[in-house]
Amino acid sequence: QVQLVESGGGLVQPGGSLRLSCAASGSISSIRAMAWYRQAPGKQRELVASTDSGTSTSYADSVKGRFTISRDNAKKTVYLQMNSLKPEDTAVYYCYTSARRSPYANYLDYWGQGTQVTVSS
């Protein structure tokens, strides 16, 4: 089984910063994409940022220039540095990965349990 454990959420004032971390553990042969999604109350889950196994990254338009996704392949960890936070960034943030448990297995989707980010004065 593959587990994703997130940390770093919390309450922050508008304009503040937070750094989310997500560590993958378990029986992992290789990891392909890693990403962060978020879901605000009453809204659909949306992709915030993603990175592949190399250096390619992509961002939602709403966070470009404010959020940075990075990855430590040796630690099987993905980070999301969030700067200049706005109240509309308030949501539960979920970590996602596409990974396989052996060289011959298919890549499967895995999700973290979510971490709450609240931006409020």
Side-chain angles (χ1 to χ4, degrees), residues 29 34-35 40 54 59-61 63-64 67 69-70 81 87 96 98-99 102 109-110 112:
S29 171
M34 298 191 84
Y59 297 91
D61 288 342
V63 307
K64 280 181 182 176
F67 291 11
I69 189 170
S70 60
Q81 178 66 44
Y96 161 88
S98 175
S102 79
D109 298 334
Y110 297 94

Side-chain angles (χ1 to χ4, degrees), residues 4 7 51 61 64 76 102:
L4 297 177
S7 60
T51 178
D61 288 342
K64 280 181 182 176
K76 299 184 178 66
S102 79

Side-chain angles (χ1 to χ4, degrees), residues 40-110:
K43 294 188 177 181
Q44 289 189 332
R45 189 173 297 189
E46 63 173 354
L47 177 63
V48 176
S50 65
T51 178
D52 65 7
S53 55
T55 59
S56 176
T57 59
S58 64
Y59 297 91
D61 288 342
S62 58
V63 307
K64 280 181 182 176
R66 300 188 298 121
F67 291 11
T68 302
I69 189 170
S70 60
R71 177 171 167 173
D72 185 331
N73 290 325
K75 295 182 179 180
K76 299 184 178 66
T77 299
V78 64
Y79 306 95
L80 186 67
Q81 178 66 44
M82 304 184 293
N83 299 328
S84 302
L85 282 161
K86 305 175 181 180
E88 50 263 42
D89 294 317
T90 296
V92 177
Y93 284 70
Y94 295 91
C95 177
Y96 161 88
T97 188
S98 175
R100 62 183 179 183
R101 299 176 62 186
S102 79
Y104 308 103
N106 292 326
Y107 280 94
L108 299 178
D109 298 334
Y110 297 94

